[in-house]
Amino acid sequence: MQTILGANGQIGTELARALHDEHTTDLRLVSRNPKPLHQSDQVLSADLMDAGATSRAVEGSEIAFLTVGLPPNSELWAEQLPVMMRNVIDACATHGIKLVFFDNTYMYPRTAAPQTEQTPFEPHGSKAVTRARMAELLMRAMDEQRIEAVICRAPEFYGPGKTQSFSNALVFDRIRENKPARVPLTDDTRRTLIWTPDASRAMALIGNTLDAYGRTWHLPVHGNRPTYAEIIEMCSEAWGRDVDYRVMKRWQFRLGGLVSRPVRELEELLPRYAVDNVFLSDAFDGAFPDFRTTTYREGIQTLADADRRDAPPA
């Protein structure tokens, strides 16, 4: 059996599909309010803040995937995510279960330097400190040989369904609402975004590859790295209309943050948008050469096609 902890989010949902279609139909989906995707899915409600509930959630599994997410609230992250990580590590160690952790890049330096699996942590801001702490807890447990685990690290998301990211919220969601897109700080820096179905398929593959454990992997991204200006141009082609956008300056985010928590939470991450973001997945590409990543043009076209399907009839 393979268990997904945090199965209701977009990554967890797509991971369940990838595991079911390509690896195993013996799945347990765990969240506060889990919903089955396939007839064969087990569902289990559990609070990962509760050590006993976490242990029961993974018991009997061969592999556990930790994909849990929380709303973008710095205080909530600092209070809950490290506790969840400790509970999951302890539960997997107790039951001899392999752990696959879905991680992000918040702890990396806020520079244009290329990011690899060897990039040292330089966390700035509460959310970055929390994410670094989670990764360090797991790396320590791996070093102490308490647990067999692997870290799958991804840059900012874009994708279908309930995908949550600032690029989705500021750009793609607003285009779907026929509103001008909002671009943070500048439209000419290179961005690395990961298509969420690619991230989930790759994590399923790594988790089911025995010799992939014991290290960190950067999940696969397309090597194009467009600017926001180029992304908007692709959106105009995909939606078949001129997509308008505005570049939001730092002072506008500060002003918006006075009345909006989501804007306030983004402000900590703004320096990352002022420079190129070059996330490299060369190690994965070399180890899994048959894995095909989605191009930005393909991903954006998929979003536009879904928008047209979901649009009410004229």
Side-chain angles (χ1 to χ4, degrees), residues 80-99:
Q80 295 192 8
L81 286 177
V83 175
M84 292 181 185
M85 175 58 84
R86 281 195 295 269
N87 287 343
V88 170
I89 291 171
D90 290 345
C92 289
T94 296
H95 297 294
I97 297 164
K98 298 183 182 72
L99 176 60

Side-chain angles (χ1 to χ4, degrees), residues 247-265:
V247 174
M248 293 185 67
K249 302 302 182 184
R250 192 181 299 267
W251 67 266
Q252 292 174 297
F253 282 100
R254 290 199 184 106
L255 188 62
L258 297 176
V259 295
S260 168
R261 173 177 279 279
V263 175
R264 197 157 58 246
E265 293 291 341

Side-chain angles (χ1 to χ4, degrees), residues 66-80:
L66 180 58
T67 66
V68 68
L70 293 174
N73 180 314
S74 297
E75 292 82 6
L76 193 66
W77 282 31
E79 176 187 338
Q80 295 192 8

Side-chain angles (χ1 to χ4, degrees), residues 3-7 28 30-31 48 54 57-58 64-68 88 92 99:
T3 294
I4 302 173
L5 303 170
R28 179 185 292 159
V30 178
S31 66
L48 300 186
T54 304
V58 301
F65 293 84
L66 180 58
T67 66
V68 68
V88 170
C92 289
L99 176 60

Side-chain angles (χ1 to χ4, degrees), residues 277-299:
N277 176 240
V278 183
F279 176 95
L280 301 178
S281 57
D282 296 359
F284 181 96
D285 298 341
F288 303 98
D290 295 332
F291 190 99
R292 184 184 178 279
T293 55
T294 303
T295 69
Y296 289 92
R297 196 172 298 278
E298 289 169 339

Side-chain angles (χ1 to χ4, degrees), residues 54-223:
T54 304
S55 180
R56 290 189 293 274
V58 301
E59 187 175 6
S61 304
E62 178 189 359
I63 305 170
F65 293 84
L66 180 58
T67 66
V68 68
L70 293 174
N73 180 314
S74 297
E75 292 82 6
L76 193 66
W77 282 31
E79 176 187 338
Q80 295 192 8
L81 286 177
V83 175
M84 292 181 185
M85 175 58 84
R86 281 195 295 269
N87 287 343
V88 170
I89 291 171
D90 290 345
C92 289
T94 296
H95 297 294
I97 297 164
K98 298 183 182 72
L99 176 60
V100 182
F101 173 45
F102 183 71
D103 199 10
N104 70 22
T105 62
Y106 284 9
M107 72 291 291
Y108 280 170
R110 302 183 297 183
T111 69
Q115 299 169 348
T116 71
E117 289 88 345
Q118 287 71 47
T119 295
F121 292 178
E122 292 182 16
H124 293 275
S126 176
K127 287 191 286 296
V129 169
T130 297
R131 296 301 304 201
R133 187 178 174 197
M134 292 177 73
E136 288 164 350
L137 284 169
L138 182 53
M139 290 188 292
R140 188 177 307 122
M142 292 162 67
D143 289 343
E144 294 170 354
Q145 299 186 337
R146 289 187 60 213
I147 187 173
E148 191 173 0
V150 61
I151 297 173
C152 297
R153 187 163 290 141
E156 186 178 2
F157 308 153
Y158 81 114
K162 299 177 292 183
T163 296
Q164 295 186 26
S165 74
F166 292 117
S167 287
N168 251 48
L170 294 173
V171 178
F172 303 113
D173 289 349
R174 289 183 63 86
I175 293 172
R176 281 195 289 265
E177 296 165 2
N178 206 22
K179 297 176 180 177
R182 303 297 192 200
V183 170
L185 300 189
T186 176
D187 63 358
D188 62 359
T189 56
R190 295 283 167 190
R191 314 313 306 161
T192 307
L193 305 177
I194 192 166
W195 180 245
T196 49
D198 287 354
S200 294
R201 285 193 303 116
M203 183 164 49
L205 177 58
I206 288 171
N208 284 276
T209 301
L210 290 179
D211 60 3
Y213 283 78
R215 57 170 292 181
T216 296
W217 292 89
H218 276 190
L219 294 177
V221 294
H222 195 269

Side-chain angles (χ1 to χ4, degrees), residues 5 30-34 44-50 53-54 56-57:
L5 303 170
V30 178
S31 66
R32 288 182 182 270
N33 298 291
L44 178 66
S45 177
D47 179 1
L48 300 186
M49 290 291 289
D50 182 318
T54 304
R56 290 189 293 274

